Amino acid sequence: MAENDRHALQICRDIFSTLKKPDRQILEISPVEEPFYDPSELYAIAPVDLRKPVDSHEIIARIVDGSRFHEFKARYAPTLVTGFANIMGFPVGILANNGVLSRKQR
């Protein structure tokens, strides 16, 4: 049990000092591609009224390479958008929402 914050941080440092440093992860960098959809259209997509929803797919299509987005679990939570893409050639995971985040009820 830590006596105070300073002691708790020291305990954490001691624990982490025993862990092996992981090998550096090698990323497969893809050639950079401009999005198929024009990024300047983002200004027209963003509503002036912040209470109006914006489809996350429209935003993603204008920022990822080639506008390619590999979505998964689309039916798990209808308001949650999850998937993979590349941005400036780097692989990224994307989490976005289209409204209140909730899991589909069974």
Side-chain angles (χ1 to χ4, degrees):
M1 183 69 77
E3 297 172 13
N4 52 41
D5 287 348
R6 182 180 296 262
H7 186 224
L9 288 173
Q10 187 58 52
I11 291 170
C12 290
R13 287 187 181 106
D14 291 342
I15 292 169
F16 282 104
S17 70
T18 66
L19 301 176
K20 178 183 175 249
K21 186 175 179 181
D23 295 331
R24 189 176 179 135
Q25 182 178 4
I26 305 299
L27 295 176
E28 286 190 33
I29 308 300
S30 301
V32 175
E33 293 181 53
E34 290 295 319
F36 179 77
Y37 294 96
D38 187 355
S40 68
E41 293 174 352
L42 285 169
Y43 295 107
I45 293 170
V48 176
D49 183 353
L50 298 178
R51 293 174 294 193
K52 291 188 177 180
V54 177
D55 184 358
S56 298
H57 296 92
E58 295 295 325
I59 296 170
I60 293 167
R62 286 159 179 81
I63 61 174
V64 301
D65 291 0
S67 297
R68 286 187 306 277
F69 177 59
H70 180 142
E71 185 173 5
F72 62 91
K73 291 203 170 199
R75 296 186 333 194
Y76 176 74
T79 60
L80 182 62
V81 178
T82 58
F84 297 104
N86 288 325
I87 297 178
M88 301 289 292
F90 289 91
V92 296
I94 296 176
L95 297 172
N97 69 304
N98 282 331
V100 177
L101 296 178
S102 63
R103 187 171 60 86
K104 183 178 176 182
Q105 298 297 318
R106 296 180 192 196

